[in-house]
Amino acid sequence: PERVVDLLTGSEAAADLPFLYQRWVGIRIVQALRTMGWNTRDDPAGAIFLGGRLTFQKGHAQFDLWVEPRFSSKTHECGFRSVGDQESTPDFMFITPGAGGIDGFILDATLNSEGPFLMKKGSYINRIEREGIATFAGCPVVKRPLVAWSAAPFSYRANRMLTRDGTIGAIPMQPTDYEPRPLIAWLSEITRRAVAWTNQNPLSGP
């Protein structure tokens, strides 16, 4: 927030590229969701530039987009928390309805498009967990975010999976030659889940 105030008041001459790139990715996310028929009642500018929550709706289905949520050992408002004492702050976290509660999808913007660095971004899966214990076959299990992907300015024209199960990958988002279809394909996985679980639980709509 202090950086944005400085930029708007003219006391700071320039913003660094990572800051600008992250905000550019956020704007593209909102634009892509709008083309897919999803809208938010709030002005997205505040959340994109300062952090916060945006709730997107389409019919009775809805999901939340959290911008720069700060996770600690104390449970965040979105229902997840950091594992142990280490804080985690992904750029974007999508929260959808899911089996036994909620599911999380992480997207982190980065200017580094090298494979090992993008794989390291996927560590968010092991650094964040949902509050409470889920069960599988009657046994308690920890529930983590389903995926942790990156948005990076590499030259591929399609999404790039970095693990065979699809939990870690990267979306090509090159500002000078932007192609929206890879981002839309990734967001479709989130919106499909939001619609499916709303249909499973019709009373959970707004």
Side-chain angles (χ1 to χ4, degrees):
E2 293 80 9
R3 172 65 62 81
V4 174
V5 171
D6 290 342
L7 287 170
L8 295 178
T9 58
S11 57
E12 183 161 334
D16 55 24
L17 283 178
F19 176 90
L20 292 175
Y21 184 67
Q22 179 192 342
R23 272 62 187 179
W24 179 82
V25 169
I27 291 169
R28 292 300 188 182
I29 289 172
V30 173
Q31 289 176 339
L33 288 170
R34 284 177 172 170
T35 66
M36 298 163 68
W38 293 82
N39 293 291
T40 179
R41 296 172 183 169
D42 301 316
D43 183 349
I48 294 300
F49 285 91
L50 300 175
R53 176 175 62 180
L54 290 171
T55 298
F56 286 88
Q57 296 177 310
K58 185 177 182 181
H60 290 293
Q62 69 177 42
F63 65 89
D64 290 336
L65 166 59
W66 287 88
V67 181
E68 289 192 324
R70 186 176 297 277
F71 295 106
S72 66
S73 57
K74 182 179 179 181
T75 302
H76 186 270
E77 187 179 348
C78 74
F80 282 80
R81 63 189 175 200
S82 184
V83 176
D85 297 328
Q86 184 178 7
E87 287 193 350
S88 296
T89 309
D91 291 338
F92 306 101
M93 186 158 184
F94 299 79
I95 303 294
T96 71
I102 57 174
D103 285 320
F105 300 78
I106 290 173
L107 183 64
D108 213 55
T110 176
L111 291 173
N112 191 329
S113 57
E114 296 180 2
F117 183 85
L118 298 177
M119 278 294 297
K120 188 175 180 180
K121 286 285 189 179
S123 67
Y124 278 119
I125 288 179
N126 297 316
R127 290 159 53 191
I128 298 172
E129 64 185 16
R130 200 181 77 182
E131 181 184 31
I133 298 295
T135 59
F136 178 80
C139 301
V141 295
V142 174
K143 189 147 187 183
R144 302 280 170 79
L146 297 182
V147 303
W149 278 49
S150 301
F154 56 89
S155 58
Y156 294 95
R157 305 296 287 180
N159 288 327
R160 181 180 172 190
M161 282 206 305
L162 298 174
T163 57
R164 294 183 65 185
D165 61 5
T167 55
I168 302 174
I171 304 171
M173 297 189 69
Q174 173 61 262
T176 58
D177 186 24
Y178 176 61
E179 166 56 59
R181 284 177 292 184
L183 176 61
I184 290 174
W186 191 84
L187 291 171
S188 293
E189 298 298 331
I190 294 171
T191 58
R192 187 180 300 119
R193 180 174 293 267
V195 171
W197 281 101
T198 298
N199 292 336
Q200 288 279 338
N201 304 286
L203 295 181
S204 64

